[in-house]
Amino acid sequence: MASNLTFSFETYLVGGAVRDQLLNLPIIDRDWVVVGANYAQMLEHGFKSVGKDFPVFLHPDTHEEYALARQERKTGKGYHGFSVIADGTVSLEEDLSRRDLTINAIAKACDGRLIDPYNGIDDLNARVLRHVSIAFKEDPVRVLRLARFYARLYDFGFKIATETKQLISEMIAQGELNYLSPERIWIELSKALNGAHPDQFIACLRELGALKIILPEVDALFGIPQRPEYHPEIDSGLHTLMVMRQAALLNADADTLFACLCHDLGKATTPTHILPKHTQHESRGAVLAKKLAQRLKIPNDTQTLAIKVAKYHLYFHTLNQLRAVTILKLLLSLDALRRPLVLDQFILACIADERGRLCFEDREILQGEFLKECLIALKGIDAKQLLLTVDPAKIPEIIHLERLKKIKNVIKDYTWS
Ligand code: ATP
């Protein structure tokens, strides 16, 4: 949105908007940097201060974000270990120098001129993700952001510069990634799960050696074999990535993708003497998914779905062999009667699990339709009518029997091919 206001300071479009414009991608939001103004002057011009950690303001008309040009000095470990200088004396080049990647450090002046002191345009054209300066090391979140941009721009074929990989290896060796807060990890992970290639976010972190620090339970899956007759891809980590890929192709939401990420964690703790079998990996996986989700302080609904998918995905794969009582137990455990969306998410994660295997990608899967028919049948029970006709003490038992009858009818009428 254009603004009628005129200012005594300079403003430049920066970051993602410039990068995405140069890649001909749609611009999601526009961030601006302000050069030659201080905090008080911004307020005088009607900007509203919104930054908690940094001097960021909202434009009075457009409500777009304007940040004072700033420099940061490392004072401690992790994301909050910075002191910030933003007193109106910091130049545009100095501000761009503290940014993470060269492709994110291009500015555009109001007359359309591009200011690109770190050769971000060359890197955009050559499809390279490269750190701007050695200051990259000072904030471990940048490693997650790099993996996120790798995944986001995956279709463009971006590679990570060798010197950036080297720098990240040093950060890992110095323990800098251990200071990532759970909240920051979840923010970046959930953004990646909402993107088109969440599997590539995980693959990139692994390639960088960061997965074992951020998600050790997932990293441990790589190198664990599975039975080739069910899993021609063999490797459990690879399978997890393939499941995420299939889920993304089915437009799964972030919660479902997180469940896909965690669905087989139990395979990493299978006793070696039974490999490549994974007896009871579901219950072990549910415990690990809960531990991981609690460590990262992941929202309750997201946690619950991941735990349920880990625990019950084998029920889905063997559905046509299950008895009515087990199918009822599954639907009640998923709380499907009250939360049909959870059933949809569960079904989608399990379809992705079936298809996320080498040569199984195009499989037609009927279990989801079957479960939904069971749910419709259960919903058809007229509980009020039952309440009128039976002894109140017997109601739970009568409802249970009625539910079993309904599911048995669906089983009888269902054709699995
Ligand atoms: P997105 O479309 O995901 O918002 P973006 O590049 O605009 O992508 P933002 O998180 O909005 O990402 O950040 C805006 C800009 O601020 C980035 O392009 C980058 O220049 C800079 N930036 C953000 N976070 C960091 C960080 N942790 N370290 C260095 N620079 C950062």
Side-chain angles (χ1 to χ4, degrees), residues 15-16 19 31 98-100 104 139 142 145 148 152:
R19 175 198 70 223
D31 296 315
R98 55 121 192 126
R99 291 174 185 266
D100 49 2
N104 290 341
D139 180 4
R142 291 171 186 156
R145 285 176 56 87
R148 192 157 63 71
R152 172 136 153 217

